[in-house]
Each structure stands twice: as C-alpha cells, then as structure tokens.
Amino acid sequence: GESVGLHLPTLSVQEGDNSIINCAYSNSASDYFIWYKQESGKGPQFIIDIRSNMDKRQGQRVTVLLNKTVKHLSLQIAATQPGDSAVYFCAENMDTDKLIFGTGTRLQVFP
Amino acid sequence: GAVVSQHPSRVICKSGTSVKIECRSLDFQATTMFWYRQFPKKSLMLMATSNEGSKATYEQGVEKDKFLINHASLTLSTLTVTSAHPEDSSFYICSARTDRLAKNIQYFGAGTRLSVL
C-alpha cells in the first residue's frame, strides 16, 4: 500500500554536528512534501516544504533534499543544537487536503 | 502568523462523560481543519477532515457518533469525545489550513492530552 516511512527511529548526534534525517515514500504521485518537528507534549511545527519539481530547498540551518528516482526525502540540520531535539516527521501530499505522515524519527542531541 | 490555538491542553475525566476540545485559528480563516489522534511514540493518525458549514469527513474506522466534530465558523472547530472510556485516552491534535497561505501546509495546535479514568 501507499506509505511514508523512515529509516531510523532514533538519531543521536553531538551538538554542533550536522544531522540527516531520512524518509522513504512509496507513492510516486505525491507532489508535495513537508517536514515537521514535534517537541514532547506539543503539536507538530512546520519546518520546511518542497514540491516535486524541485530536488533541494534550503531554509535557515535546514535543507530538504528530494530524490524522486528512489522516492527518498531527507532533512539536513546544520550545526545541530540542543533545541533541535525532537521527533521529526515527514509528510506527503497528493493534491488533496490530506497529509500522510511518516512514522517519525527522534533526534537526540548530546553535548 | 498562522497560529492555531487548542484548548484545553490537558483534561482528565471520568469514564462515561463527554469532553469537548476546541481548535481555533487565531490570525487566519481556516478553509479546512483536521483532527488527529496520536498514541505514545507513534505518528499522527488522521481522524477526520472538516470544512466550515459542512459535515466532517471521517477516516475509515473512526466512529463519527463517538467523535463529534462541529465546524461552526472559519476559525473554530470542536471535537467532542462522547461517553469517553479509558481506551479513548490519547493525545488529540488539531490542524488548520487555508488557501491564502501555502496551500497544503497544515498549522497545528499544541494538542490536548485526554486521560479517561
């Protein structure tokens, strides 16, 4: 079936290092992707999005890469900080109102 | 901009009672609002989609008589968990989107932790 999944459930990085969070999606019809950050006990917070006609998009300290050939999405966080510790979800959209969320990756930043 | 407020943040109730959760878009008119349920260490599960003035569209397996959704205005949607039971204990999150901003970005509330005793 159609699904969005993540390769790593937990990622531990040292403060100051770069983090890479991966996401695999299976629906080739998806044309829009979003990364969300969810801190404990809070709702998801929008980080960055990308449309399928792009393969890279940069924000402040974050970059999203899209590889449509292998249906892979990644979120890169530069100079990871303790405040980046959270669960990160990718979500895909297929020109409907709905977002399909992946299973999530927990990012742990240690000093 | 694009702030979504959800209230209450936490509620504890007795089994058999009903609980209402409010979701408000504070600085924009929400074309569509969504209600999700999230179990510990799990992803978000969409329960229903609602548009202002029309009936909510429920996802498969979600009991519409159990989870009543009212979307009375472009800035307010409510979810009522009727006759709550311990298995309804969960983290409920709403989101909203608007055609005036990036079309498919959903802006989320802070969530409501429901504990049914």
Side-chain angles (χ1 to χ4, degrees):
Chain A
E2 299 165 354
S3 65
V4 177
L6 294 173
H7 297 301
L8 298 172
T10 303
L11 177 65
S12 296
V13 299
Q14 189 165 24
E15 182 178 356
D17 287 352
N18 297 333
S19 302
I20 300 176
I21 301 171
N22 297 302
C23 177
Y25 65 95
S26 57
N27 194 327
S28 58
S30 294
D31 60 1
Y32 181 64
F33 304 87
I34 304 176
W35 279 101
Y36 283 94
K37 171 187 179 182
Q38 186 179 25
E39 297 177 79
S40 181
K42 298 183 179 179
Q45 176 186 2
F46 171 84
I47 300 174
I48 193 167
D49 60 350
I50 189 168
R51 297 207 170 273
S52 60
N53 60 354
M54 303 172 69
D55 53 19
K56 180 179 180 179
R57 191 165 188 219
Q58 288 185 294
Q60 188 175 16
R61 274 202 313 120
V62 295
T63 301
V64 56
L65 299 177
L66 176 62
N67 185 329
K68 295 181 287 294
T69 302
V70 295
K71 298 177 190 170
H72 185 266
L73 191 70
S74 69
L75 176 70
Q76 300 179 0
I77 304 173
T80 312
Q81 302 169 359
D84 295 326
S85 295
V87 176
Y88 290 80
F89 293 97
C90 64
E92 64 176 319
N93 175 265
M94 293 174 283
D95 199 29
T96 67
D97 284 346
K98 298 180 187 179
L99 290 176
I100 301 173
F101 282 84
T103 54
T105 292
R106 179 172 299 280
L107 176 64
Q108 296 178 325
V109 182
F110 56 93
Chain B
V3 178
V4 175
S5 173
Q6 190 172 338
H7 179 81
S9 59
R10 186 177 183 99
V11 58
I12 301 172
C13 70
K14 293 182 179 180
S15 185
T17 61
S18 294
V19 175
K20 180 184 283 189
I21 303 170
E22 290 188 349
C23 182
R24 294 179 184 274
S25 55
L26 297 186
D27 52 0
F28 68 100
Q29 292 186 325
T31 312
T32 310
M33 287 187 168
F34 305 83
W35 287 96
Y36 293 84
R37 183 173 179 175
Q38 187 176 33
F39 293 101
K41 299 182 181 180
K42 297 294 184 182
S43 189
L44 285 75
M45 181 188 80
L46 179 65
M47 298 174 67
T49 302
S50 76
N51 294 291
E52 182 262 341
S54 61
K55 290 184 178 180
T57 301
Y58 289 81
E59 294 299 299
Q60 191 173 10
V62 178
E63 299 176 59
K64 59 182 178 182
D65 295 330
K66 173 76 170 175
F67 300 101
L68 299 178
I69 293 173
N70 182 276
H71 195 156
S73 75
L74 282 171
T75 60
L76 174 64
S77 176
T78 61
L79 168 68
T80 301
V81 183
T82 62
S83 186
H85 291 283
E87 58 265 29
D88 299 323
S89 298
S90 192
F91 193 54
Y92 293 88
I93 315 174
C94 72
S95 70
R97 58 169 287 274
T98 174
D99 289 340
R100 290 196 169 192
L101 298 173
K103 182 178 161 220
N104 291 315
I105 296 177
Q106 293 180 23
Y107 299 93
F108 284 83
T112 298
R113 173 78 55 195
L114 171 63
S115 300
V116 185
L117 304 179

